Amino acid sequence: MEERHRLKVLDGLRAIAILLVMGYHYFVRWTPPVAPDNFYPYGGFGAHFWLFEYGDLGVQIFFVISGFVISMTLFRCRTIGHFFWKRFARLFPTMLICSVFSFLILNLLPQNIFIPQVRDFIPSLTFSDPIIWSKIFGVPFKAVDGAYWSLFVEVKFYFWISVIYFLVGSRLFFRSVALAFGGLVIFYVLARAIDFHHLWAIDFIFVIGALPWFVAGIGFYALYADASSRMAWALLVESVVAIAVLKLGTHVGTIAPYLALAFSFFVFLAMMKRPAWVAWLGYPPLAAIGVASYSLYLLHQYIGVAILDIARNAFGPEYPLLSVLLAPTLVGVLILISLAIYRYWEAPAKDFLLGMRLTRPAILHGSGASERSENAP
């Protein structure tokens, strides 16, 4: 979203989501029982603290935010090309600098747990699943950082939701999403019931496991656009039912996904009905982390865990104070780096790319178009 439309509460929610994910990656993901080996100098300390143990659900909160933001963006775009150019301007420059930075740092650090290859730039910079490239070339491809998987999911969502929007138009958009999503869930459940052999393909193409979270975000935007919208509530109910019926994703069989969804419901509904209840999410330092959360998400996992593993090998368990302070220090340093990337690269690069598209008609057709604001939708 452009700055003038940015909702600071959502920035704060982004900050909460990325901090949850970082907690999961720095205390749970790379130690038993989730991983076969331990890479932390503090071992399993904190691995069973519920906020860290379920911190990966921060990604699902990002998906809810994305459903909201992408809906808002679609309503402000004239063509599907316009929409994807805005997405490209938002995502590609930061992916480029962060993947190069991660590649260099991981290959320079004295560690051997994460060694990205040059070919790993292909899925990373094309926002496409490494499985596709592995099948094409017959050699294993990965992303530069494993955290990029959620971006590949996001791009698939962008494709399908933009197809729906530009096929049916804004007036029928929410109704069409509700019908398409409901039909897809029913089809998936029936296919699973008859043990359809290519069930994985349906999930791979339509990102079924993440789709209910995106749809919840669309429902929240429908409610934001029209407080009396029945279709908004239909989408929200569909998202809850789909999570319960599909039982896909992480922490199946626990209440954790429902708590994450309930928290999202609380924040979005309060943002619209009782803004004072969530005003704390707009606290400037917290909102600033949310603004820079994209680069923070791209950088944090492999670099952070590699540094933790180096500390484990260097110091072992003999320095408990160092172990306790290392993770929050890493978080603080990476936040500062991400804020610098946002200010000096991400925001200027986005403005430059959007400006290129907006000034092109002026070059071709005269000065009339040159008067448009570079932040116009």
Side-chain angles (χ1 to χ4, degrees), residues 204-360:
F204 181 81
I205 294 170
F206 296 105
V207 291
I208 299 291
L211 207 50
W213 302 88
F214 289 118
V215 169
I218 296 171
F220 287 129
Y221 181 71
L223 199 62
Y224 178 80
D226 179 5
S228 63
S229 172
R230 294 181 181 179
M231 197 52 59
W233 288 106
L235 288 164
L236 292 171
V237 170
E238 273 191 334
S239 67
V240 176
V241 171
I243 290 173
V245 170
L246 295 176
K247 295 183 178 178
L248 298 172
T250 58
H251 308 297
V252 173
T254 72
I255 65 169
Y258 303 103
L259 291 177
L261 190 61
F263 177 65
S264 300
F265 267 72
F266 167 76
V267 171
F268 278 94
L269 293 177
M271 181 181 73
M272 291 178 266
K273 304 293 185 181
R274 296 288 188 273
W277 291 3
V278 289
W280 59 277
L281 285 169
Y283 180 57
L286 188 65
I289 296 173
V291 168
S293 61
Y294 178 38
S295 57
L296 183 56
Y297 180 80
L298 295 179
L299 289 174
H300 81 276
Q301 184 181 201
Y302 281 5
I303 291 176
V305 175
I307 292 172
L308 290 173
D309 186 59
I310 292 169
R312 179 183 65 86
N313 291 322
F315 303 110
E318 298 179 5
Y319 297 87
L321 182 61
L322 176 64
S323 296
V324 169
L325 294 177
L326 189 54
T329 301
L330 267 175
V331 171
V333 170
L334 286 170
I335 286 173
L336 292 176
I337 293 172
S338 298
L339 289 169
I341 289 174
Y342 179 80
R343 179 173 180 179
Y344 297 109
W345 175 263
E346 183 177 334
K350 176 187 171 184
D351 291 343
F352 173 77
L353 290 172
L354 292 178
M356 284 177 57
R357 189 182 191 279
L358 289 170
T359 55
R360 184 172 56 190

Side-chain angles (χ1 to χ4, degrees), residues 21 92 96 102 192 194 200 223 233 337 344 356 365-366 374:
V21 173
F92 182 79
L96 175 63
S102 294
R192 187 166 60 184
I194 64 173
W200 65 270
L223 199 62
W233 288 106
I337 293 172
Y344 297 109
M356 284 177 57
H365 302 295
E374 64 178 12

Side-chain angles (χ1 to χ4, degrees), residues 42 51 60 72 98 106 145 160 165 194 225 240 279 287 323 329 353:
Y42 36 79
L51 206 56
Q60 276 66 47
M72 180 178 285
C98 288
L106 290 170
D145 189 299
W160 291 116
Y165 180 85
I194 64 173
V240 176
S323 296
T329 301
L353 290 172

